[in-house]
Amino acid sequence: MIPFNKPFIVGNELKYIEEAVKSGKISGDGIFTKKCHAFFEEKFGFQKVLLTTSCTDALEMAAILCDIQQGDEVIVPSYTFVSSANAFVLRGAKIVFVDSYSDNPNMDPVEIEKHITEKTKVIVPVHYAGVACDMEKIMNLAKKHNLFVVEDAAQAIDSYYTFSDGTKKALGSIGDFAAFSFHETKNIISGEGGILVINNPTYNTRAEIIREKGTNRSAFFRGEVNKYGWVDLGSSFLPSEILSAFLYAQLENLDIIQQKRIRIWEQYYSNLMPLQEKGFIKLPEIPSYATNNAHMFYVICRSYEERSSLIQYLKAKDIHPVFHYLSLNKSEFFLKDNSPVDIPNSDHFTDCLLRLPFYYELEESEQKSINSLIHEYFSSLESQI
Ligand SMILES: *Cc1c(COP(=O)(O)O)cnc(C)c1O
């Protein structure tokens, strides 16, 4: 049986958890949390990083920091995970969904511009599969219309964008804020987990306060104030040291994890290429401004029916691919208060995109059998013609 995902341990995860417990402090913001913060800031040039218990939490913090008011409009791709929208809905925003490119699930800047109004406050680019959105165009739109940019970089660790002047920047370091996930299905994991990146130092203090239940406890622990109290909105967004210890061990092995994942990605790509050449499926495209962090491998089938029958074919051999993202504009929750809108490219990915098993411990032999079954499926179609 080959599952879609399998959580893994790669180094000192359990040892560091033991250390954290023995140190006598397992609530948040201890030694391992600080080590993780420093790692991200140094490695990716993030101005300030705060560990959270999920990417969803980091997005919720970003929505508070953007000071969303009732009726503000937030531009979000329709083809994304619910949290990209929900975090802003919680603060009273109206979500304006825009479409993807036809050949890439990322949000199309031409579509973004069409949907900007007087009420727009935030653009939320989602770097699907860890592949960059066209950030230069998005940042220019944001500048022109004075909007915040919150990158949903849940899938985008160790991925980069190159601007037209040749400057290369890590995803998550470009917008005002960014949110990453360490959910067990991502490249780097801690079960549940995330970070908020703050790229504009104006927001550093408020972000710390929001994360610490609306108190200035962080400043108190640094000795900057002699007592702490309730100063703002907030919640409990910080993870326990047990999670941070696990995460830090994964971060120490980032390069090893990434090398392995890129090998898996390239093997799928080269092995399935003949099926793209025959027109059966489409493989992912990486635009020239983006890098590939091997977060996922997907194929795009020709129709919903063909995808369903391919899934059945693989499941019968105990291989478990998955599809995802019912376009959010078609969700039950959105349709309660809004009329249906037509977002064709997003619907196409909803119907036709298939994610293949992808995890750190996926064996070469397992991957070979997945590939040969996919080939077998399509040659059975060919022989029927
Ligand atoms: C995984 C994911 C999230 C949610 O991450 P959590 O850490 O589970 O909250 C949000 N957005 C996208 C695009 C994701 O892939």
Side-chain angles (χ1 to χ4, degrees):
M1 132 83 168
I2 305 178
F4 169 67
N5 181 58
K6 201 150 96 183
F8 64 103
I9 278 178
V10 69
N12 287 331
E13 284 88 341
L14 301 179
K15 181 169 167 258
Y16 290 168
I17 287 176
E18 192 177 349
E19 272 179 35
V21 174
K22 286 187 173 156
S23 80
K25 176 179 167 64
I26 50 170
S27 60
D29 279 341
I31 292 165
F32 284 106
T33 301
K34 292 194 173 91
K35 283 185 176 200
C36 291
H37 288 171
F39 178 93
F40 287 114
E41 289 166 5
E42 280 159 28
K43 169 94 184 168
F44 300 116
F46 299 152
Q47 188 268 142
K48 184 177 176 67
V49 168
L50 292 172
L51 250 59
T52 56
T53 44
S54 65
C55 175
T56 303
D57 272 354
L59 289 165
E60 286 176 22
M61 286 182 67
I64 299 172
L65 287 163
C66 292
D67 202 20
I68 297 292
Q69 303 295 319
Q70 193 74 32
D72 285 344
E73 293 180 4
V74 176
I75 293 181
V76 177
S78 179
Y79 191 73
T80 185
F81 187 64
V82 286
S83 297
S84 323
N86 229 347
F88 296 91
V89 173
L90 278 168
R91 309 242 58 83
K94 172 176 184 265
I95 302 298
V96 176
F97 288 118
V98 305
D99 208 353
S100 309
Y101 295 104
S102 61
D103 55 357
N104 168 344
N106 282 339
M107 200 162 41
D108 184 346
V110 173
E111 291 298 312
I112 297 174
E113 186 153 31
K114 280 191 212 159
H115 289 85
I116 293 174
T117 71
E118 288 289 292
K119 288 185 174 164
T120 309
K121 194 151 190 188
V122 186
I123 305 173
V124 185
V126 179
H127 304 299
Y128 183 78
V131 176
C133 293
D134 195 340
M135 290 309 287
E136 184 155 359
K137 288 192 182 141
I138 292 172
M139 293 311 288
N140 285 340
L141 282 175
K143 210 168 177 182
K144 186 169 148 197
H145 298 276
N146 195 25
L147 309 174
F148 285 105
V149 173
V150 176
E151 298 178 66
D152 182 339
Q155 309 176 2
I157 184 121
D158 202 31
S159 201
Y160 295 81
Y161 178 85
T162 305
F163 287 82
S164 53
D165 67 1
T167 318
K168 191 173 173 182
K169 292 186 84 175
L171 300 188
S173 70
I174 303 169
D176 300 279
F177 306 107
F180 287 83
S181 174
F182 310 114
H183 181 262
E184 68 170 16
T185 51
K186 310 300 199 232
N187 293 33
I188 300 292
I189 63 172
S190 59
E192 304 281 353
I195 52 172
L196 174 70
V197 179
I198 302 123
N199 289 317
N200 178 345
T202 315
Y203 296 95
N204 287 0
T205 305
R206 185 155 194 235
E208 281 184 350
I209 289 168
I210 291 166
R211 177 166 165 274
E212 269 284 21
K213 301 95 179 166
T215 74
N216 53 350
R217 184 148 79 176
S218 300
F220 172 72
F221 282 143
R222 282 197 300 266
E224 295 165 11
V225 290
N226 58 13
K227 58 184 180 340
Y228 77 86
W230 185 12
V231 294
D232 203 336
L233 283 181
S235 190
S236 187
F237 290 116
L238 74 169
S240 139
E241 278 288 288
I242 295 177
L243 280 186
S244 315
F246 192 103
L247 180 65
Y248 188 66
Q250 293 253 320
L251 292 175
E252 285 183 322
N253 290 285
L254 175 71
D255 291 341
I256 294 167
I257 295 167
Q258 286 302 89
Q259 278 164 22
K260 177 85 190 282
R261 293 187 74 101
I262 285 166
R263 227 169 36 235
I264 294 171
W265 196 98
E266 285 174 349
Q267 232 175 77
Y268 272 135
Y269 190 80
S270 58
N271 205 285
L272 298 175
M273 183 50 83
L275 296 175
Q276 168 162 284
E277 283 158 2
K278 287 182 184 167
F280 286 122
I281 51 174
K282 275 196 188 147
L283 301 181
E285 282 176 22
I286 314 290
S288 57
Y289 53 71
T291 59
N292 176 21
N293 75 340
H295 170 60
M296 78 165 80
F297 196 88
Y298 64 82
V299 302
I300 299 165
C301 298
R302 291 180 295 190
S303 67
Y304 174 79
E305 291 71 25
E306 203 160 279
R307 184 184 71 179
S308 306
S309 87
L310 176 57
I311 292 173
Q312 268 184 353
Y313 192 83
L314 294 172
K315 281 200 173 155
K317 316 270 169 166
D318 230 0
I319 290 168
H320 297 267
V322 301
F323 59 85
H324 69 170
Y325 300 156
L326 172 66
S327 294
L328 292 182
N329 62 297
K330 293 213 167 143
S331 62
E332 190 184 318
F333 182 71
F334 185 74
L335 289 177
K336 263 200 318 204
D337 300 316
N338 299 276
S339 31
V341 271
D342 193 29
I343 306 193
N345 295 332
S346 172
D347 289 347
H348 176 66
F349 294 120
T350 299
D351 288 345
C352 300
L353 189 145
L354 185 65
R355 304 173 64 186
L356 301 181
F358 204 132
Y359 46 88
Y360 179 72
E361 289 171 345
L362 185 64
E363 301 283 341
E364 209 171 318
S365 61
E366 292 174 317
Q367 212 187 347
K368 273 190 184 144
S369 60
I370 300 167
N371 282 329
S372 59
L373 282 168
I374 297 174
H375 277 276
E376 205 178 283
Y377 171 80
F378 285 106
S379 31
S380 76
L381 289 189
E382 259 178 332
S383 60
Q384 281 167 24
I385 296 163

